Amino acid sequence: MGCGVAKSNKFHTKKGGKAMKAAVLIQRWYRQYVARMEMRRRYTWNIFQSIEYSGEQAQIKLYNFLGYLMDNFNPTSTERNLISHIFRENEVCRDTEWERHFCYKNIEVPEIYSGPRLIFPLTVEQVAAMVEAFRNKRQLHSRYVLQLLLETWKLLRKLPNISRISTCHSKEITVCGDLHGQLEDLLLIFYKNGMPSLDRPYVFNGDFVDRGKDSIEILLILFAFLLVYPNDVHLNRGNHEDHIVNLRYGFTKEVLGKYKMHGKRILKLLQKIFSWLPLATVIDQKVLILHGGISNTTDLCLIARVDRHKYVSALRPPKKRTQYPVSQTSVDLDMEDDLSGTKNNQRRVSLIKANSFGPRDGFQRRSLQDFSGRVPRTVDEEIEVRRRQSGFIKGGFSHSQGELNNLAVSSASQESTDTADTTVEEWKQILDLLWSDPMSQNGCIPNEVRGGGCYWGPDVTQDFLDRHNMQLIIRSHECKQDGYEFCHNRRVLTLFSASNYYEVGSNRGAYVKLGPDLVPYLIQYQASSMTRELTLRKNVGKVEHSALKVLREQLFAHKSDLVSAFQEFDKDKTGQVSLNDWATAVESVLRLGLPWRMLRFQLATCKTPGGMLDYQEWFQELSIKEPQMEHIDQGLLETLYRHRATLETIFRIVDLDNSGFITMEDFRQTWKLLSAFLKMEITDEAISDLSVTIDTNQDGNIDIDEFMEAFRLTDKKSRLERGKSMFMGTTTDLTKLEGDPNI
């Protein structure tokens, strides 16, 4: 009997050993599988983020360039007139005159209008009804939009730069990060956490608009709750609450599309509102909430007393306010533009021949701070202003030219001494608040990736918190895969509330709740039900597919530069390069900081038996379909592909009446501006050929949207559909990659 027991134990031991080996193999396989998924997820994320920041940098460079034109061209030149309206930020007008311009009383609401109707002062029931209407895709009438925005503007002008709130009046305070026009996320937050109320205060930390399709609805909801609960709803300004940024990232286009008749007035009023949004919020004197971040010079005392509404755009320090003759204020000028819808066509001159730009090689590498030296008005500009003002002087006397020059020199010198340094310092403080990002290393350096603000390290965080006797910084500004991320020894919390930001499944959204103990309680979510139906593999694959599609389009748009870079390595002109040389050449052209050797499994599959890459065949493998425009100059087409967003931004600037159409002359001037910005020669003949191709009905006007869509690169086929993957290599391949120091 004892022997039988011994045999049984031996049998079970053998069986258990096999089971253990199987479990170890399964565990090893699973770990490798998860590692591959994580690698795919990380580098897909890097693709999206690198391209996003590259776009922001391009936008800031463009604005710097246009500001450079404004500062260096003669004040009466036609070049300045082409773009001057976007810099007309600091007009001297009384608030009552602006309120007259934004008056809504002459706008009638038709009886057939089925959307929400607002009666002021607003009640929470009206706001809830408006939220429900937006959920059902109904639009608020422009009369109510203007009325709501006007009431918001009046309220914001009474608020301090830094809102100070306390948890003692409520159980918890909810803080939300970037929403970026994604109404689904805001509605989900309200569903999970409840709408704002006396017992449920909220802080919304900027970037309400751009990129998403429902930015105006989000603003109207937040502003409505602000009016109902002014002490319990707090809004911080973000870097996208800026009319210059809105030109590129979609908010301007959204408003003009939804409110065709009164869109221009709505945008102008929003421009005023954005400049009056508070800059930060402090909870219990211990938690600082701001959109971007801090620097080693951030001073809350200085921020608390700046005249924040001067900084209509944080991308450029404000110049001295423009004085308009009393006979016609800037409001009157805007009103005339709004009513007539006409453009000034007497402003045409070729920018391609202009020599007053100065050296351009250094311009593209300059950051925002490099332009701060042009804040004070020059002596020549002061003389010109004094001369114009002297024409309105009555009383039988006038200044001599010498007296006028002395007066201008004295005034400009005094202004430069007294106000320039203060203005620049204030602007830098605001720029850092809206644009900065944390980094893991100590120190504080310029943020050259975005082009504005700075990178600050944990030592800067510690010093700032110690100086202000605080314990935590909550900021937004960066999309995080989990919706949030702690850094700097958990003293900095990044919060991002727009889920599925780059693609469905790319990231979660999150918000945080703070009670009297000020311990962050984080809630994550994803607004799309589609993500819950996908497996991990399918979800990662879907996001990867979208990222690679965008990346292949970027590669194709730089075809000429890439070929030149490949030929530098192809000394024997074989048409082939090694994969290492391919990766080096691609990074030298695109400068996205991506792990190209890691991405080669997906992007470079057409290898010869010797392991070399045929780069001409590789462009065919990218599977990008371009428009059939054989008679258009190829260099011009590549410029269009590569700088679509910049070109569209200039189109929106040149489209003075916001009609969505530009004249042929506007079209030519846009290309001349772009060619000057890119420091390249574009012939009039090439531009004319392009304009004739687009103006199919020969009416002399070009539809901006149709033009941009006509030259969109499209992905002909997906490698995911062919069963390929960024990391479809073997375990041996992955081991080699992990051990490669060049990756």
Side-chain angles (χ1 to χ4, degrees):
M1 189 171 182
C3 293
V5 173
K7 288 181 179 179
S8 178
N9 287 339
K10 186 177 181 181
F11 173 76
H12 284 295
T13 300
K14 291 181 178 179
K15 187 174 182 181
K18 290 182 178 179
M20 182 62 69
K21 289 181 179 178
V24 170
L25 289 173
I26 292 172
Q27 187 180 59
R28 184 182 300 170
W29 170 86
Y30 180 73
R31 285 176 177 173
Q32 291 176 349
Y33 171 78
V34 171
R36 286 195 295 270
M37 291 298 105
E38 182 60 22
M39 292 170 74
R40 291 172 63 184
R41 197 170 76 108
R42 286 186 184 182
Y43 290 114
T44 295
W45 185 264
N46 287 346
I47 292 171
F48 279 128
Q49 202 163 63
S50 296
I51 293 175
E52 178 190 8
Y53 291 170
S54 175
E56 288 186 346
Q57 190 180 92
Q59 172 69 5
I60 289 176
K61 286 180 178 179
L62 174 63
Y63 190 60
N64 283 345
F65 168 70
L66 298 179
Y68 184 78
L69 295 185
M70 288 292 295
D71 290 342
N72 289 276
F73 272 59
N74 187 289
T76 59
S77 69
T78 52
E79 291 90 345
R80 259 173 141 260
N81 291 337
L82 187 68
I83 58 174
S84 62
H85 66 98
I86 68 168
F87 293 95
R88 206 167 74 198
E89 305 169 342
N90 297 304
E91 308 97 329
V92 174
C93 289
R94 292 185 295 273
D95 289 339
T96 53
E97 294 173 330
W98 280 117
E99 290 174 13
R100 174 174 61 86
H101 175 55
F102 298 132
C103 183
Y104 54 85
K105 295 180 180 178
N106 60 341
I107 302 175
E108 295 184 359
V109 180
E111 293 183 3
I112 61 173
Y113 170 69
S114 59
R117 296 176 181 267
L118 304 182
I119 301 174
F120 291 80
L122 287 176
T123 64
V124 66
E125 290 78 17
Q126 291 185 77
V127 180
M130 186 176 71
V131 171
E132 188 61 27
F134 291 160
R135 187 197 307 275
N136 296 320
K137 309 301 180 184
R138 284 184 287 168
Q139 189 170 300
L140 187 66
H141 194 275
S142 56
R143 175 191 172 99
Y144 301 126
V145 172
L146 282 169
Q147 189 174 6
L148 194 156
L149 295 180
L150 195 57
E151 294 299 318
T152 302
W153 183 45
K154 293 176 182 177
L155 173 60
L156 288 174
R157 282 161 24 205
K158 302 175 184 177
L159 300 183
N161 294 343
I162 302 177
S163 305
R164 298 185 181 273
I165 57 180
S166 174
T167 57
C168 68
H169 300 298
S170 63
K171 294 181 179 179
E172 291 177 316
I173 295 173
T174 302
V175 184
C176 299
D178 296 30
L179 289 167
H180 278 301
Q182 297 185 190
L183 183 60
E184 277 188 331
D185 289 295
L186 180 61
L187 297 179
L188 183 57
I189 292 171
F190 286 166
Y191 173 78
K192 294 172 71 71
N193 194 61
M195 292 188 182
S197 68
L198 295 174
D199 299 322
R200 196 179 296 110
Y202 274 82
V203 178
F204 294 93
N205 198 24
D207 276 13
F208 318 120
V209 302
D210 279 334
R211 294 196 172 97
K213 65 182 186 303
D214 297 314
S215 295
I216 186 65
E217 285 77 13
I218 286 179
L219 282 181
L220 295 174
I221 290 172
L222 298 185
F223 292 161
F225 276 118
L226 175 66
L227 293 174
V228 175
Y229 300 113
N231 297 318
D232 301 287
V233 174
H234 306 274
L235 309 179
N236 289 343
R237 184 177 183 178
N239 66 307
H240 278 262
E241 278 68 64
D242 187 313
H243 70 287
I244 299 299
V245 178
N246 300 153
L247 283 168
R248 185 185 188 99
Y249 291 105
F251 181 55
T252 299
K253 181 179 177 181
E254 177 192 331
V255 173
L256 294 174
K258 292 179 178 178
Y259 296 98
K260 293 181 172 59
M261 184 172 294
H262 301 287
K264 186 177 179 181
R265 269 201 285 176
I266 291 172
L267 286 172
K268 187 66 176 179
L269 182 48
L270 283 169
Q271 184 176 321
K272 297 287 181 185
I273 288 173
F274 288 167
S275 69
W276 277 105
L277 285 170
L279 301 172
T281 301
V282 175
I283 300 177
D284 291 346
Q285 305 299 323
K286 293 293 183 181
V287 178
L288 175 65
I289 307 170
L290 41 71
H291 180 73
I294 60 172
S295 70
N296 55 357
T297 62
T298 298
D299 182 354
L300 292 185
C301 293
L302 176 57
I303 291 168
R305 63 175 183 266
V306 301
D307 192 4
R308 68 180 186 270
H309 80 280
K310 291 192 306 183
Y311 302 90
V312 180
S313 174
L315 299 182
R316 171 183 166 95
K319 295 177 73 66
K320 185 177 179 182
R321 291 176 178 270
T322 304
Q323 299 284 350
Y324 289 90
V326 295
S327 60
Q328 188 173 37
T329 66
S330 60
V331 171
D332 296 324
L333 296 173
D334 275 338
M335 185 75 81
E336 287 183 3
D337 290 344
D338 200 25
L339 295 177
S340 66
T342 58
K343 302 181 184 181
N344 177 15
N345 290 318
Q346 307 301 317
R347 50 177 168 79
R348 312 302 183 193
V349 70
S350 173
L351 295 181
I352 200 68
K353 302 295 184 183
N355 296 318
S356 56
F357 295 158
R360 292 297 314 282
D361 291 337
F363 168 76
Q364 293 284 5
R365 294 190 294 271
R366 297 167 99 172
S367 64
L368 284 170
Q369 284 85 348
D370 295 326
F371 290 83
S372 58
R374 283 191 282 275
V375 174
R377 181 183 282 154
T378 64
V379 172
D380 290 339
E381 288 176 334
E382 188 69 28
I383 292 173
E384 179 65 24
V385 170
R386 294 288 179 173
R387 183 180 292 110
R388 289 200 299 266
Q389 290 176 343
S390 67
F392 294 93
I393 295 176
K394 298 180 181 180
F397 69 93
S398 62
H399 294 289
S400 68
Q401 183 63 41
E403 291 172 332
L404 191 60
N405 289 350
N406 291 335
L407 183 61
V409 171
S410 175
S411 175
S413 176
Q414 184 66 32
E415 177 187 353
S416 176
T417 302
D418 295 343
T419 64
D421 292 341
T422 301
T423 300
V424 172
E425 179 59 30
E426 290 179 356
W427 169 68
K428 288 180 179 178
Q429 294 274 328
I430 293 176
L431 185 69
D432 288 338
L433 253 64
L434 300 183
W435 281 87
S436 295
D437 294 308
M439 65 178 180
S440 57
Q441 299 84 8
N442 284 335
C444 188
I445 60 176
N447 191 334
E448 295 181 354
V449 175
R450 290 187 189 267
C454 70
Y455 283 115
W456 88 94
D459 58 329
V460 177
T461 294
Q462 189 64 51
D463 177 69
F464 176 86
L465 293 177
D466 290 345
R467 281 190 290 114
H468 293 88
N469 192 26
M470 292 182 174
Q471 65 186 47
L472 179 67
I473 295 173
I474 299 178
R475 43 93 60 178
S476 301
H477 194 44
E478 285 184 285
C479 182
K480 298 298 180 182
Q481 288 182 323
D482 293 321
Y484 74 93
E485 183 179 271
F486 281 100
C487 63
H488 296 181
N489 300 316
R490 296 182 68 87
R491 309 299 296 275
V492 174
L493 169 62
T494 297
L495 193 65
F496 200 84
S497 298
S499 65
N500 308 305
Y501 180 62
Y502 294 123
E503 176 61 74
V504 175
S506 64
N507 66 285
R508 295 179 179 181
Y511 59 91
V512 65
K513 302 174 79 169
L514 295 168
D517 58 1
L518 298 180
V519 176
Y521 175 64
L522 287 146
I523 296 93
Q524 298 170 286
Y525 57 86
Q526 252 175 330
S528 175
S529 60
M530 184 184 301
T531 58
R532 294 190 289 271
E533 300 169 359
L534 297 176
T535 64
L536 173 64
R537 184 184 182 91
K538 289 182 178 179
N539 187 47
V540 172
K542 178 179 175 59
V543 179
E544 178 189 82
H545 164 54
S546 180
L548 290 172
K549 173 181 177 294
V550 175
L551 189 57
R552 286 197 296 271
E553 291 172 1
Q554 288 278 320
L555 290 166
F556 191 85
H558 290 78
K559 181 177 180 179
S560 295
D561 291 342
L562 285 171
V563 169
S564 298
F566 294 147
Q567 289 173 346
E568 290 292 321
F569 292 100
D570 183 20
K571 301 297 184 183
D572 297 331
K573 299 182 180 180
T574 62
Q576 299 176 355
V577 293
S578 69
L579 288 174
N580 283 344
D581 290 343
W582 170 85
T584 302
V586 170
E587 176 57 27
S588 70
V589 172
L590 267 66
R591 299 185 182 277
L592 293 176
L594 293 173
W596 296 105
R597 296 185 66 196
M598 188 80 80
L599 295 170
R600 69 193 184 200
F601 291 108
Q602 182 65 12
L603 296 174
T605 59
C606 52
K607 294 180 290 186
T608 64
M612 303 292 282
L613 177 74
D614 186 319
Y615 49 84
Q616 292 294 351
E617 183 183 347
W618 173 65
F619 282 109
Q620 298 297 323
E621 279 287 305
L622 287 178
S623 301
I624 298 298
K625 180 181 179 180
E626 57 180 326
Q628 297 299 315
M629 300 283 179
E630 292 85 356
H631 59 289
I632 302 298
D633 179 75
Q634 189 63 32
L636 191 65
L637 283 176
E638 278 199 27
T639 300
L640 200 160
Y641 300 150
R642 195 179 310 174
H643 303 284
R644 287 184 82 258
T646 298
L647 183 62
E648 184 173 4
T649 301
I650 299 177
F651 276 145
R652 301 291 175 192
I653 293 171
V654 173
D655 180 20
L656 296 181
D657 61 0
N658 297 306
S659 65
F661 292 87
I662 56 174
T663 65
M664 285 294 187
E665 191 59 30
D666 285 329
F667 182 79
R668 294 187 182 93
Q669 291 297 327
T670 298
W671 275 98
K672 290 181 183 297
L673 265 178
L674 183 65
S675 64
F677 171 59
L678 299 176
K679 203 177 72 169
M680 60 181 294
E681 188 74 31
I682 300 177
T683 65
D684 288 337
E685 182 181 1
I687 298 174
S688 296
D689 289 342
L690 187 60
S691 62
V692 169
T693 302
I694 297 303
D695 186 23
T696 54
N697 60 0
Q698 303 296 314
D699 65 350
N701 291 307
I702 294 175
D703 185 312
I704 297 174
D705 292 332
E706 287 187 6
F707 175 82
M708 301 310 300
E709 193 61 33
F711 289 90
R712 183 183 298 278
L713 294 174
T714 56
D715 196 21
K716 290 191 291 187
K717 52 186 175 180
S718 163
R719 281 177 172 71
L720 270 164
E721 293 170 355
R722 299 186 303 176
K724 300 288 185 180
S725 165
M726 193 187 304
F727 296 104
M728 288 296 285
T730 64
T731 304
T732 305
D733 294 329
L734 291 171
T735 304
K736 289 180 180 178
L737 286 172
E738 290 168 358
D740 193 331
N742 297 317
I743 293 177

